[in-house]
Amino acid sequence: MRIKVVVVGVGNIGRAVITGLTKQPDMDLVAVLTRRPDEVRRQLADLPVFGWDQRESLPTKPDVAVLCGGSRKDLFDGLQGAEMLKLCHTVDSFDTHARIPTYAQVMDLTARTTGHVAVISTGWDPGTFSLARVYGSAFLAGAKSYAFYGITPRGGLSMGHSDAIRTLPGVQDARQLTHANPKAMEQVRTGKNPDLKPGDMHWRECFVVLKPGADPEEVRTQIVTMPHYFEPYATKVQFVSQEELDRDHSGMQHDGVVITVGETAPGHRAVIEYRNVWDSNPEGTAGIMLAFARAAHRLGSLNNSGVFTPLDIPPAFLSPHTKEKLLKNFM
Amino acid sequence: MRIKVVVVGVGNIGRAVITGLTKQPDMDLVAVLTRRPDEVRRQLADLPVFGWDQRESLPTKPDVAVLCGGSRKDLFDGLQGAEMLKLCHTVDSFDTHARIPTYAQVMDLTARTTGHVAVISTGWDPGTFSLARVYGSAFLAGAKSYAFYGITPRGGLSMGHSDAIRTLPGVQDARQLTHANPKAMEQVRTGKNPDLKPGDMHWRECFVVLKPGADPEEVRTQIVTMPHYFEPYATKVQFVSQEELDRDHSGMQHDGVVITVGETAPGHRAVIEYRNVWDSNPEGTAGIMLAFARAAHRLGSLNNSGVFTPLDIPPAFLSPHTKEKLLKNFM
C-alpha cells in the first residue's frame, strides 16, 4: 500500500522533502500546497502545485501531510497542522523546545477530534536527538545527556542566528556558524556529569557583510552583546565581502552529537554517543520527517488517533521493510 | 508502582544486572534464581537466592524476569524463557543473530499462551545496534548500516573467541581482543556503501598462555587457521605468562559503532553514527536489559502479550520518567 503524501510549504525544508520523496520506495507525492501557487508552479513545473485554499479539494486525497512551515508563524500561530488534520495525518518538525508541551496538547485535541495521527517535532533536535537523550539516559541510569552542535571543524550553520545578525543596522548579509567547544566535550566524556552553561559548550563564528559606510566596530559590539543569541558565548566576528560570503560560506551544513556518560560500577565508565552530520541540514531533516510520515500512516492504519512524538513510536514503524526482514537482517 | 524483578542466572551478566538494579529508581530485586543456590548464597549472602526448581513458589511474585543465561544452552535449548513466562514477563539478551526469527516465534507462542510479554534480544548487538541500523536506514533512505567493534585503541574483549582459543591443545588461558580496521571505517564514511567482507572490517589480537612444553608455532597455526573464528581475519598472536594476562588483559571492555552514510542529494553527504563504549561489557548490557525490563512491565500493564524486540517498543516505555517530564525536558 503506497503512501500518498502532500507537502505543505515550499521553503528550504519543503524543497528538501520533495527531493527526499523520490528516494522513498513506498511514497508518492500527490500535492504541494503553498500560499504562492503561481510563483511555485513556475519553479516546480512538473509537480502538482496547489494553493493553500485548494487544500480541501485536491484531486487525490492524501494520507499524510508533511508540514514544512515555521514553528511559530505557520505551525503554532498559523494552525497549519490543525487545518491539515481535518484531511489526513500530519508530521512536522516543530522545534521551539519550550512550547512543545503546549503544541502537543493542541495537536492532540485536533487529531483526536478528526480521527487522525499528528506526529510532531521530528527533525534532528527535537527529533533524533530527543531519542538519543531518552535511550541514553534509560540505558545508563543516572547519567545526563549533553547535546553539542558544530562538532566538525567547519561548524554548523545556524539560520536563526544568521537572521538575527541581518536585522542589525549596518549589516547587509551574514552567516553564523556554531562550534562545539572540544574541551567541554572531553569534560562530558569523563563521566562526571558536569554542570555546563551554554557559553561553556559552544562558541559562535560570524561572517558579516557590511553596508557601505557602516562602522565595523559598532556592528561587532552590537553582535557580541546581543542577549541570548551572542552575549552568553565567545563570539568571533569577521567582515567579508558579499562575494566571499557567497563563495566560501553558503553551505547549509550542520551537525551535532548527543553524549551520555555514566558509571556502571565504580571506575567502570560507559559512553553512548549519537551523531548526525549533514552537508545539507534541510535535507537531513527532510529524510527524518519522511520516516516519521511512514510511521504516521502506519499508526493511522492501526486505528490510532492523537498526537505522537518520536518517543511514542516503535522504531519498526519508521522502516519501509517488513517485520520479517527486520528480524532477519536488522536485528 | 515499583517493578518487582527476578534475576535468572548468576554469570557475568546476572551479577551485572544485580548491580544495575541498585541504580534503578523504580525497581526492586525480589529473587535471584540459580541452579547452584548453595554456592550462590555464599557469594551473595544478603540477597534472596532461590534454586531454579523453587521458581513457582517464590515468596514475592515477580513482575519481570531478567534472563541472564546463554543464548543456546539456557534460552533456546533450556527453555529458560518459556518456563519463566508461566510466571511473569521476561527480558533477555538472546544474541545468536541467525536464530532470532525462530526464537521470536517460540517466545511469542508461549507469551501469548501465558498472557505475558517477552522482550527478546536486548543487549547492544542485537539490541541498541539493531535500533541504530533501523533508525539509520529509515532516516537515510537507501543507505547501508555497518557495525564495527573494538573502535578504541584498547580493542574489545570477545568472550566467544577467547573460549575458542582455550579449547586448543597446548593452551592454558587466552584473551581475544577485536579491533576495527580504521581504513574500513573511513571507507564507509565516504558514503559509497562499499561491499566489505568481515576480514576487511576487523582484525583480531590474541594473548595466549601456553601449557608447559607446548609448541608456540603449532598453537599459532591452529589459531590463525581456525575457520569462521580467525581464518577470515588478520590475526596477531602474542604469548604471555599467566601473570601478564591477568595483570594486563583482564578487562571486560568492549565497544563499537554503527555507521550509516548516504547522500541526501548529489554531493550532499549525510552521516549517522551510534557508538557504545563500555569499560564493562556485561554491565553495559545489564543497563540496557533493565531499561527493557521496564518496557516489558509497561507493555504488560497495557494488556499486551507476545514477543517484542527493541524495534517494537516506543522509546518512552524504557524511561523511568513520566510522559510530561519527557515532553518538557527530553524532547
Side-chain angles (χ1 to χ4, degrees):
Chain A
M1 183 174 43
R2 298 184 64 79
I3 305 168
K4 295 188 274 296
V5 175
V6 52
V7 175
V8 184
V10 198
N12 286 328
I13 301 272
R15 283 195 299 272
V17 170
I18 291 168
T19 305
L21 271 165
T22 63
K23 295 174 179 280
Q24 307 298 326
D26 52 353
M27 296 186 192
D28 295 311
L29 176 69
V30 300
V32 177
L33 283 176
T34 169
R35 293 186 191 276
R36 305 170 284 122
D38 295 337
E39 184 189 334
V40 171
R41 249 182 229 116
R42 283 193 297 275
Q43 295 162 0
L44 306 171
D46 300 335
L47 298 182
V49 176
F50 300 90
W52 172 243
D53 50 5
Q54 295 176 279
R55 64 189 178 278
E56 298 195 21
S57 56
L58 296 174
T60 305
K61 189 190 162 339
D63 298 310
V64 186
V66 183
L67 310 178
C68 306
S71 292
R72 188 180 59 78
K73 195 169 59 74
D74 302 307
L75 298 177
F76 205 102
D77 297 344
L79 299 174
Q80 196 177 75
E83 285 297 328
M84 291 309 296
L85 280 170
K86 294 179 188 166
L87 308 173
C88 60
H89 309 304
T90 63
V91 58
D92 67 49
S93 61
F94 185 86
D95 66 358
T96 313
H97 288 266
R99 295 179 90 183
I100 290 176
T102 311
Y103 183 64
Q105 281 190 323
V106 173
M107 291 294 275
D108 194 48
L109 191 67
T110 320
R112 285 182 193 277
T113 309
T114 59
H116 286 125
V117 168
V119 181
I120 67 166
S121 302
T122 72
W124 60 289
D125 195 356
T128 63
F129 276 23
S130 316
L131 290 169
R133 283 186 280 266
V134 170
Y135 278 126
S137 64
F139 297 148
L140 293 181
K144 269 171 75 172
S145 295
Y146 298 79
F148 290 93
Y149 310 94
I151 57 172
T152 54
R154 63 186 181 184
L157 175 72
S158 167
M159 297 294 279
H161 286 77
S162 302
D163 290 343
I165 300 173
R166 285 195 203 100
T167 63
L168 294 175
V171 171
Q172 177 177 299
D173 201 354
R175 290 273 167 152
Q176 196 270 187
L177 300 178
T178 302
H179 295 273
N181 181 342
K183 274 191 192 156
M185 293 210 283
E186 285 318 309
Q187 217 182 328
V188 166
R189 288 197 182 99
T190 62
K192 297 198 193 329
N193 289 327
D195 278 319
L196 294 174
K197 297 194 188 69
D200 299 328
M201 296 174 69
H202 297 96
W203 63 277
R204 300 191 176 279
E205 185 176 29
C206 312
F207 295 95
V208 178
V209 183
L210 291 172
K211 282 184 181 156
D215 176 1
E217 282 320 301
E218 199 170 304
V219 169
R220 186 194 307 274
T221 303
Q222 283 181 305
I223 294 172
V224 302
T225 59
M226 200 185 294
H228 308 300
Y229 281 84
F230 294 101
E231 189 275 323
Y233 302 90
T235 299
K236 187 174 161 191
V237 180
Q238 283 183 261
F239 297 103
V240 297
S241 68
Q242 185 74 51
E243 193 192 357
E244 286 169 310
L245 190 78
D246 295 343
R247 187 189 62 209
D248 302 334
H249 309 290
S250 67
M252 305 276 276
Q253 83 279 359
H254 216 322
D255 57 62
V257 64
V258 177
I259 306 177
T260 313
V261 185
E263 281 197 337
T264 52
H268 292 177
R269 202 170 55 124
V271 184
I272 298 177
E273 293 196 17
Y274 178 77
R275 180 180 298 240
N276 287 175
V277 180
W278 318 112
D279 278 358
S280 164
N281 185 3
E283 289 166 7
T285 301
I288 298 166
M289 293 181 82
L290 286 169
F292 283 104
R294 180 178 294 116
H297 181 249
R298 178 80 175 275
L299 287 163
S301 69
L302 295 170
N303 291 318
N304 291 282
S305 68
V307 79
F308 290 78
T309 73
L311 308 180
D312 304 316
I313 301 175
F317 284 18
L318 278 60
S319 174
H321 301 301
T322 62
K323 182 158 188 155
E324 291 67 36
K325 175 150 186 173
L326 291 178
L327 268 183
K328 190 163 179 281
N329 298 129
F330 285 76
M331 280 298 296
Chain B
M1 184 171 45
R2 298 185 64 81
I3 305 168
K4 295 187 274 295
V5 175
V6 52
V7 175
V8 184
V10 196
N12 286 328
I13 301 273
R15 282 195 299 273
V17 169
I18 291 168
T19 304
L21 271 165
T22 62
K23 295 174 179 281
Q24 308 298 326
D26 53 353
M27 298 186 190
D28 294 310
L29 176 68
V30 300
V32 176
L33 284 175
T34 170
R35 295 187 191 278
R36 306 171 283 122
D38 294 337
E39 183 187 335
V40 170
R41 250 182 231 117
R42 282 193 298 275
Q43 296 162 359
L44 305 172
D46 300 334
L47 298 181
V49 176
F50 300 91
W52 172 244
D53 50 7
Q54 295 174 277
R55 64 189 178 276
E56 299 195 20
S57 54
L58 295 175
T60 305
K61 189 188 160 344
D63 298 310
V64 186
V66 182
L67 310 178
C68 305
S71 292
R72 187 180 58 76
K73 193 169 60 71
D74 302 307
L75 297 177
F76 204 103
D77 297 344
L79 298 174
Q80 196 176 75
E83 284 298 327
M84 291 309 295
L85 280 170
K86 294 179 189 167
L87 309 174
C88 60
H89 310 304
T90 64
V91 58
D92 67 48
S93 61
F94 185 86
D95 66 357
T96 314
H97 288 266
R99 295 178 90 183
I100 289 175
T102 312
Y103 183 64
Q105 281 190 321
V106 173
M107 291 293 275
D108 193 47
L109 191 67
T110 320
R112 284 181 194 279
T113 310
T114 59
H116 285 126
V117 167
V119 181
I120 67 166
S121 301
T122 72
W124 59 290
D125 195 356
T128 62
F129 277 23
S130 316
L131 291 169
R133 284 186 279 267
V134 170
Y135 279 126
S137 65
F139 297 148
L140 293 180
K144 271 170 73 172
S145 294
Y146 298 79
F148 289 93
Y149 310 93
I151 56 172
T152 53
R154 62 186 182 182
L157 175 72
S158 167
M159 296 294 280
H161 286 76
S162 301
D163 290 343
I165 300 174
R166 286 195 201 99
T167 63
L168 295 175
V171 172
Q172 178 177 298
D173 201 354
R175 289 273 167 151
Q176 196 269 185
L177 299 178
T178 302
H179 295 273
N181 182 343
K183 276 190 189 157
M185 292 210 281
E186 285 317 307
Q187 217 182 327
V188 166
R189 288 198 182 101
T190 62
K192 298 197 191 333
N193 288 326
D195 278 319
L196 294 175
K197 297 193 189 68
D200 299 329
M201 295 173 70
H202 296 97
W203 64 277
R204 299 191 178 280
E205 184 176 29
C206 312
F207 295 94
V208 178
V209 183
L210 292 172
K211 281 184 182 156
D215 176 359
E217 282 319 303
E218 199 169 303
V219 169
R220 185 193 306 274
T221 304
Q222 283 181 306
I223 293 172
V224 302
T225 59
M226 200 186 293
H228 307 302
Y229 280 83
F230 294 100
E231 188 275 323
Y233 301 90
T235 300
K236 187 174 160 191
V237 180
Q238 282 183 261
F239 297 103
V240 296
S241 68
Q242 185 73 53
E243 193 193 356
E244 286 170 310
L245 191 78
D246 295 343
R247 188 190 60 208
D248 302 335
H249 309 291
S250 66
M252 305 275 275
Q253 83 279 2
H254 215 324
D255 57 62
V257 64
V258 177
I259 306 176
T260 312
V261 186
E263 282 196 338
T264 52
H268 292 178
R269 202 170 57 122
V271 183
I272 298 177
E273 293 196 17
Y274 178 77
R275 180 179 298 240
N276 286 174
V277 180
W278 317 113
D279 279 357
S280 164
N281 185 3
E283 289 166 7
T285 301
I288 298 166
M289 293 180 82
L290 286 170
F292 282 105
R294 180 178 295 116
H297 181 249
R298 178 80 176 273
L299 288 164
S301 70
L302 296 170
N303 292 317
N304 292 280
S305 68
V307 80
F308 290 78
T309 73
L311 308 180
D312 305 316
I313 300 176
F317 285 18
L318 278 61
S319 175
H321 302 302
T322 62
K323 182 158 188 155
E324 290 66 35
K325 175 150 187 172
L326 291 177
L327 269 183
K328 189 163 181 283
N329 299 128
F330 286 75
M331 280 297 297

